[in-house]
Amino acid sequence: METFNVVTHAPDRSGGSNRWTVLALLALGVLISFVDRTSMSSALANSAFIQTFALSSVDRGWVNSAFFWSYGLVQIPMGWLVDRYGVKWPYAVCFALWCLGTALMGAVTALTALVVVRLLIGLAEAIVIPASYRWIRHNFDESRTGLAVGIFTMGNKFGPAIGAPIGAWLIVHYSWKVMFVATGAVGILWLIPWLFCVKNDFPTAATRALSCRKASTVRLRDILSSPVVWGGMLTSFCYGYFTFYCATWMPAYLVEQRGLSLSESGLYTFFSFAGIAIVAAISGWAADRIIARGHDPIRVRKLFVIAGFVGGCTVLLGAYATSLQMALFWNVFSLSFLGLATANALALSRLTLIPKQAIGLVTGVQQVATSFSGGVAATLSGWLLHVGGSYTLPMMVIFVFLLIGAASTAILLRPKWSPKVTAVA
């Protein structure tokens, strides 16, 4: 009978910079990527920006979603790239490209150019998640995976948390053009510590050949036929649908339906994403501690994930709240509670249940679903807003997807369905 051991892959910590320092840089890198991608949500809640490009609600949905379509399109190639060519240099090149693209947004004057630049930013940012998870899997064992992923995911939650109020402040005090230029230009400073602190892992020809042989032990057809991979994709889509809805539409919802100012909407967006970031790190650490005491890692992480999805369903209470205070409370609470799922879902479906040599590729495959969830959330929510005239219908769709996410976690994420490793002659 075939078994799957979740702790058979020892982390590689030979040489290089301190792993916690590099992890902090990865968290900061993903934070910057989310600031750059979600700065658009602040612009789309600004009347001057809307008037400049004569945007309807449907147009706003398409502008918001453009990033995610290109971002999703190249997730698998980016996973393949980092599995074979390392993390340091591919990440550095892509990082510089998306920061320059964000700054260029300040010079755009036509809607078509706006969409094209957003597509290009999506292509460059696609490196972030496959590269980061590959590095984490090679440097942290199972007893630290939840904490490591929790710290990393704080970056992609504090990104929109910080980006929304900063973007709103720059727009209110300067303009949307200054906002894009500033966020893109400042982000490029991250490259300085990255280039100095991270060990060069660009492989020699011999090492690259060996990596290709190791990667070939987990075939793409085995990855695509694995229920674990499909379960991870479905879970990622459902999780991402809620978080990307909040990243793209929350400022507009708070301004247009709840009557807050742009600055106030940025503040409450911060509270929501800060909440999920903090809960994600704590729940990842808590799961690690329970696992370290001898409990089954898969069962522990699945319970955290399901609890997070079910708790996130309280978003619907905010949609029907009659008072501003309760609407804001459920808005913050629902997204924060989802943080129970954040680190544990990612650790489970991309690390614990996945062979080490295929982390980048599997992460790329699953990121396709995450990316498309952003595109679907942005586009579908804009259409539902146009049809229904309020944000209640978009939130009802979120509720349905959260329930689907809980079910897919319970049913599909099982060790016996993990991608199989085949022998290489």
Side-chain angles (χ1 to χ4, degrees):
M1 181 177 176
E2 193 171 20
T3 61
F4 184 88
N5 185 351
V6 298
V7 292
T8 54
H9 308 302
D12 177 13
R13 302 190 188 98
S14 58
S17 301
N18 180 278
R19 57 185 177 145
W20 295 100
T21 301
V22 178
L23 179 64
L25 281 173
L26 289 171
L28 183 58
V30 75
L31 183 152
I32 293 169
S33 77
F34 269 77
V35 168
D36 289 347
R37 77 179 66 170
T38 58
S39 58
M40 179 59 71
S41 65
S42 294
L44 289 173
N46 176 244
S47 58
F49 182 85
I50 294 171
Q51 291 170 6
T52 298
F53 295 97
L55 301 175
S56 66
S57 292
V58 175
D59 292 332
R60 287 193 289 168
W62 280 112
V63 171
N64 252 328
S65 68
F67 167 92
F68 297 103
W69 299 123
S70 60
Y71 182 76
L73 185 65
V74 295
Q75 286 293 321
I76 295 176
M78 287 298 187
W80 177 90
L81 181 70
V82 298
D83 275 342
R84 286 160 177 77
Y85 295 95
V87 172
K88 180 176 181 175
W89 289 107
Y91 197 148
V93 171
C94 290
F95 189 97
L97 290 175
W98 92 59
C99 286
L100 293 173
T102 301
L104 183 62
M105 294 281 289
V108 168
T109 57
L111 179 57
T112 301
L114 189 70
V115 172
V116 168
V117 176
R118 288 287 287 176
L119 289 169
L120 294 176
I121 294 172
L123 290 173
E125 284 200 20
I127 192 76
V128 176
I129 301 301
S132 299
Y133 280 99
R134 174 178 169 79
W135 192 92
I136 290 171
R137 190 65 179 101
H138 281 256
N139 290 273
F140 291 90
D141 56 30
E142 185 64 39
S143 66
R144 289 288 183 269
T145 294
L147 178 59
V149 173
I151 291 172
F152 171 71
T153 56
M154 287 183 75
N156 64 25
K157 300 302 178 290
F158 272 111
I162 294 172
I166 288 177
W169 186 86
L170 288 171
I171 290 172
V172 170
H173 290 85
Y174 297 96
S175 69
W176 60 268
K177 293 183 179 182
V178 170
M179 184 265 295
F180 283 123
V181 172
T183 54
V186 171
I188 205 81
L189 296 174
W190 176 91
L191 280 172
I192 298 172
W194 177 261
L195 294 175
F196 280 100
C197 293
V198 180
K199 179 183 177 182
N200 182 12
D201 59 350
F202 192 86
T204 62
T207 303
R208 191 161 57 248
L210 179 61
S211 297
C212 289
R213 287 190 64 214
K214 288 182 177 179
S216 67
T217 63
V218 184
R219 297 170 296 189
L220 181 59
R221 69 180 182 183
D222 292 328
I223 290 173
L224 295 179
S225 64
S226 167
V228 164
V229 174
W230 284 98
M233 292 177 70
L234 188 54
T235 301
S236 296
F237 182 93
C238 295
Y239 175 94
Y241 189 93
F242 186 15
T243 56
F244 284 127
Y245 165 83
C246 292
T248 54
W249 281 103
M250 186 185 291
Y253 159 72
L254 294 173
V255 170
E256 296 169 4
Q257 186 155 320
R258 294 299 177 179
L260 300 186
S261 68
L262 183 59
S263 298
E264 289 172 332
S265 75
L267 181 63
Y268 280 98
T269 301
F270 169 82
F271 289 148
S272 296
F273 280 98
I276 191 175
I278 294 169
V279 173
I282 293 174
S283 63
W285 171 84
D288 286 346
R289 301 283 61 77
I290 296 172
I291 292 166
R293 292 175 183 171
H295 294 278
D296 179 57
I298 296 170
R299 180 174 297 177
V300 170
R301 298 203 191 280
K302 285 176 76 170
L303 288 174
F304 272 89
V305 175
I306 293 168
F309 275 116
V310 173
C313 290
T314 56
V315 66
L316 205 55
L317 297 177
Y320 287 103
T322 56
S323 70
L324 175 61
Q325 290 74 20
M326 290 308 299
L328 293 175
F329 171 79
W330 290 117
N331 200 57
V332 173
F333 178 87
S334 60
L335 190 61
S336 298
F337 208 100
L338 186 65
L340 291 176
T342 304
N344 291 292
L346 296 170
L348 187 61
S349 65
R350 299 182 183 180
L351 303 178
T352 302
L353 292 172
I354 302 302
K356 184 178 179 180
Q357 58 267 48
I359 295 296
L361 183 57
V362 171
T363 299
V365 170
Q366 293 188 359
Q367 272 298 110
V368 172
T370 303
S371 308
F372 285 161
S373 73
V376 173
T379 306
L380 180 58
S381 297
W383 181 79
L384 292 172
L385 175 62
H386 174 74
V387 171
S390 77
Y391 288 84
T392 301
L393 194 54
M395 290 186 183
M396 291 178 67
V397 173
I398 292 170
F399 175 83
V400 172
F401 278 126
L402 291 175
L403 292 179
I404 294 173
S408 68
T409 300
I411 297 169
L412 296 175
L413 299 186
R414 301 184 182 186
K416 66 180 180 179
W417 290 334
S418 295
K420 299 298 183 288
V421 177
T422 58
V424 176

